[in-house]
Amino acid sequence: MLIGRTAPTASVLVLPGGTDQSYKPFSRTQPAALRMYPFTLSLAALPGVVVRQAQYRVYGWNGEQNSPMPCAQAALTELLEAHPDVPVIVIGHSMGGRVAAQLAADKRVAGVLALAPWWQHADWRHINDDARVLALHGTADTRTYARRTAKGIRELRERGVDAEFVAIEGGGHALLDHLWTWQSTAVRFVRSFR
């Protein structure tokens, strides 16, 4: 799904979550995709912002197959080619946060917003040094770990990356609590690139 206006000042790729192991076909109506539509739509409403929400082939990461990466890379390439002179921001939830970190190895990615990211194997180390990184993680998340996210942000800062960690007190994994905080932070982050 591609949403936006002509002559953008920023491009955003929204990356839904998934799961560790699954070859179930990815669907636009599964919860991982649905929970990202409010982000996609609110960001697309910003003047000068074009937004694309990625769709994967299957729902799982699937070990070394890195199943979501080819589709996500194709979506990023499409945004970069369509709007080569504007900053690109990747926003990922859970597994999408892992995808975002790996896509951000590309120096053309200017920003990474990681929402309760599943940074499994120090995925933050892929992020290019010039990107600005913001990670939000709920302290009550039992599926992915706020401590690991905070560690990744500390490591990025030690490397000289402009990176910040925000703990959402009592926040869970599904982004269904503290809705205003998750959404308004995403909007402010994207606005800061325009």
Side-chain angles (χ1 to χ4, degrees):
M1 172 183 4
L2 185 60
I3 302 172
R5 296 165 180 72
T6 57
T9 55
S11 317
V12 178
L13 179 59
V14 176
L15 300 152
T19 192
D20 190 9
Q21 293 287 325
S22 176
Y23 294 98
K24 177 181 174 182
F26 189 85
S27 164
R28 293 179 187 182
T29 59
Q30 68 192 37
L34 291 173
R35 80 174 41 96
M36 299 311 290
Y37 291 143
F39 291 91
T40 299
L41 295 171
S42 63
L43 294 171
L46 295 174
V49 177
V50 64
V51 183
R52 177 179 179 142
Q53 183 164 320
Q55 297 175 47
Y56 313 128
R57 189 178 55 78
V58 295
Y59 186 55
W61 184 269
N62 303 314
E64 292 182 7
Q65 293 178 36
N66 303 343
S67 294
M69 291 307 297
C71 295
Q73 185 61 61
L76 177 63
T77 299
E78 180 181 308
L79 275 178
L80 289 166
E81 289 177 354
H83 311 287
D85 299 321
V86 301
V88 175
I89 302 112
V90 290
I91 298 177
H93 171 245
S94 191
M95 183 183 78
R98 187 176 193 189
V99 173
Q102 294 199 21
L103 289 177
D106 188 321
K107 289 192 175 289
R108 296 172 295 177
V109 172
V112 177
L113 176 58
L115 306 169
W118 178 44
W119 283 346
Q120 181 72 0
H121 299 290
D123 293 288
W124 59 83
R125 293 179 182 162
H126 293 279
I127 298 171
N128 78 75
D129 289 344
D130 296 324
R132 189 167 1 129
V133 182
L134 176 60
L136 283 68
H137 215 128
T139 60
D141 190 337
T142 57
R143 301 187 93 183
T144 58
Y145 304 105
R147 255 185 331 216
R148 185 177 295 161
T149 302
K151 175 185 175 185
I153 294 299
R154 279 194 307 274
E155 189 176 302
L156 286 168
R157 290 173 67 91
E158 287 165 5
R159 227 175 68 195
V161 176
D162 180 358
E164 181 183 359
F165 173 76
V166 175
I168 309 244
E169 196 59 42
H173 186 68
L175 310 181
L176 298 175
D177 50 36
H178 306 352
L179 295 172
W180 174 250
T181 303
W182 298 107
Q183 291 286 326
S184 63
T185 303
V187 168
R188 280 195 309 273
F189 187 72
V190 170
R191 275 187 173 146
S192 73
F193 286 87
R194 296 174 35 238

